Amino acid sequence: MSDLVTSTTLVAVPAWNESGSVGTVIEKVSAVVPDARIVVINDGSTDNTEAVARAAGATTLSLPFNVGVGGAMRTAFLYARREGFTALVQVDADAQHDPQEIPRLLDALKKSDVVVGTRFHEGSAYVVRGPRRWAMSLLSWSLSRISGEKITDTTSGFRAAGPRAIDLFADAYPAEYLGDTVGSLTIAIREGLSISEVPVTMHYRRIGRPSKSALWSTLYLGRATLALLVQLLKRNRHALREPVS
Amino acid sequence: MTATVLAIITSVITLVFIIDLLRRGVLKEKYAVLWLGVAGTALILAIFPGLLNWITSTIGVEVPANLLFFVTIVVLVLVSVQLSYELSRHEAQIRRLAEEVALQEEEIRRIRRSLDSE
């Protein structure tokens, strides 16, 4: 891991009204990978997220209005491709991802195109129940089947992408509901990219994360399944491909 | 007879309204053509009610009104689907532009910074 080159690594932090935590996240990330460039994609925040991010030393890309995580991430992938980065690590602005794990994600990127930090592993404190758990199991079973690789955590936002994945996602990162997680994995699998997982620990702002209502969870299950089906049915994923200049 | 008059008046008003929208440049031609077709058909059927009866009996539908309602519903559903399609396309294009704005803004900031440092 000591031979890890991080000067061509972009750490992308999608942020929507996260002025309270984005500064700390940037500081922690730059302590772990000082050579990497950190870009905060300010997704139409109404607070001073952008100013806080810039003060902490990050580059900022400010979207004129809120487009969702999928759109924010595609902006990051476009930036990575145009600036010639060969690795992109996505870290959430709410401090639930531990930047200490970034080198491990980057290390796994040497062998595969997409690396997902999974919250499901032995000794993990992450537990989900009820319809949400069924939804996650269904998604992980389906994606594992179509990819032929074991994917346990399809909705983790802690990920890394290599050059081939950057090129693909700059054009085709989906903006639909759950597109940033399930949808992007489906696209990667269908384009023949390899995916691997690395166990990670998540920090939650509230201990024992309150379980949402049964109705909400059931809706989540339905929407997740629909999102998966839509992705599987899709054909023309390069409809808005960037013109070659 | 009053029903015929009512139908003719309604069709004519619709036609005039669409033509006016088109004249003022509010409605794009591709949408105007559709509505002109609908209003025109309605006007023809209003002037010649016998035409609807003839078509109905020719294709074997019992009540002329049912055929009219069926065709109307099919047309309206197709128009709604077409509008949803246009809306989805526009949302994707607007999002693409938003992303470009964010990237260009950063590019301008960087160029300005390098000019200042010269």
Side-chain angles (χ1 to χ4, degrees):
Chain A
M1 235 182 269
S2 52
D3 59 334
L4 215 55
V5 182
T6 54
S7 57
T8 53
T9 297
L10 182 69
V11 178
V13 186
W16 182 39
N17 294 338
E18 295 283 5
S19 60
S21 55
V22 73
T24 325
V25 170
I26 294 163
E27 280 161 27
K28 282 185 180 166
V29 170
S30 52
V32 177
V33 278
D35 294 335
R37 187 177 302 172
I38 304 169
V39 62
V40 171
I41 308 93
N42 171 29
D43 190 7
S45 298
T46 47
D47 65 0
N48 60 344
T49 295
E50 187 183 14
V52 171
R54 295 187 71 79
T59 302
T60 55
L61 298 173
S62 273
L63 290 155
F65 44 82
N66 186 269
V67 297
V69 186
M73 282 314 296
R74 191 170 70 174
T75 314
F77 282 111
L78 277 167
Y79 182 78
R81 181 163 75 183
R82 290 182 191 179
E83 300 289 314
F85 287 96
T86 55
L88 184 149
V89 185
Q90 178 185 349
V91 178
D92 278 0
D94 62 1
Q96 62 165 314
H97 301 149
D98 187 351
Q100 294 287 345
E101 319 251 31
I102 292 173
R104 291 178 52 226
L105 291 183
L106 287 173
D107 202 47
L109 212 52
K110 287 174 184 166
K111 293 195 191 77
S112 47
D113 297 308
V114 177
V115 176
V116 179
T118 175
R119 297 161 287 186
F120 300 109
H121 52 87
E122 263 181 67
S124 170
Y126 185 71
V127 184
V128 282
R129 288 186 195 85
R132 194 182 168 86
R133 187 200 171 98
W134 308 335
M136 290 173 104
S137 304
L138 174 74
L139 293 172
S140 116
W141 179 81
S142 315
L143 289 184
S144 298
R145 269 211 67 150
I146 57 171
S147 71
E149 288 166 89
K150 196 166 178 282
I151 304 168
T152 58
D153 193 350
T154 55
T155 55
S156 168
F158 197 13
R159 298 168 168 213
R164 286 178 69 199
I166 288 172
D167 190 39
L168 171 67
F169 289 151
D171 293 314
Y173 210 79
E176 293 90 354
Y177 180 73
L178 284 181
D180 59 301
T181 52
V182 181
S184 61
L185 281 181
T186 316
I187 287 172
I189 293 164
R190 293 183 60 167
E191 294 290 321
L193 302 192
S194 57
I195 295 165
S196 65
E197 285 192 322
V198 166
V200 293
T201 315
M202 298 273 165
H203 303 288
Y204 292 103
R205 281 180 285 191
R206 290 159 302 198
I207 298 159
R209 209 181 206 201
S211 59
K212 300 254 170 44
S213 73
L215 179 69
W216 191 92
S217 301
T218 311
L219 273 176
Y220 178 86
L221 175 64
R223 293 182 77 180
T225 313
L226 189 67
L228 178 71
L229 287 175
V230 167
Q231 283 306 327
L232 289 175
L233 285 171
K234 266 195 182 171
R235 237 171 359 132
N236 185 10
R237 293 178 304 279
H238 297 293
L240 285 174
R241 196 178 168 88
E242 199 182 6
V244 179
S245 48
Chain B
M1 194 60 212
T2 43
T4 309
V5 173
L6 185 68
I8 292 173
I9 291 172
T10 312
S11 313
V12 169
I13 289 174
T14 312
L15 264 177
V16 170
F17 180 58
I18 300 294
I19 292 168
D20 185 51
L21 285 181
L22 191 60
R23 205 174 50 85
R24 284 189 287 151
V26 182
L27 204 61
K28 280 193 77 175
E29 286 86 344
K30 62 173 175 175
Y31 300 109
V33 165
L34 172 82
W35 294 121
L36 286 175
V38 169
T41 310
L43 184 61
I44 291 168
L45 289 178
I47 299 170
F48 309 106
L51 194 62
L52 180 64
N53 293 329
W54 178 74
I55 297 169
T56 308
S57 58
T58 305
I59 59 172
V61 175
E62 294 270 336
V63 188
N66 280 350
L67 178 68
L68 199 62
F69 287 139
F70 173 72
V71 172
T72 308
I73 289 166
V74 168
V75 168
L76 290 182
V77 166
L78 287 179
V79 170
S80 307
V81 171
Q82 151 75 3
L83 290 180
S84 300
Y85 162 78
E86 295 275 345
L87 190 61
S88 304
R89 210 166 54 98
H90 287 167
E91 276 179 21
Q93 288 173 339
I94 290 168
R95 188 170 66 91
R96 185 69 190 77
L97 283 175
E99 294 168 7
E100 203 55 48
V101 166
L103 291 164
Q104 298 296 337
E105 191 188 43
E106 168 56 24
E107 187 79 33
I108 291 167
R109 198 152 42 204
R110 190 169 59 183
I111 293 168
R112 191 174 279 167
R113 208 163 36 225
S114 72
L115 283 177
D116 286 345
S117 63
E118 268 172 18

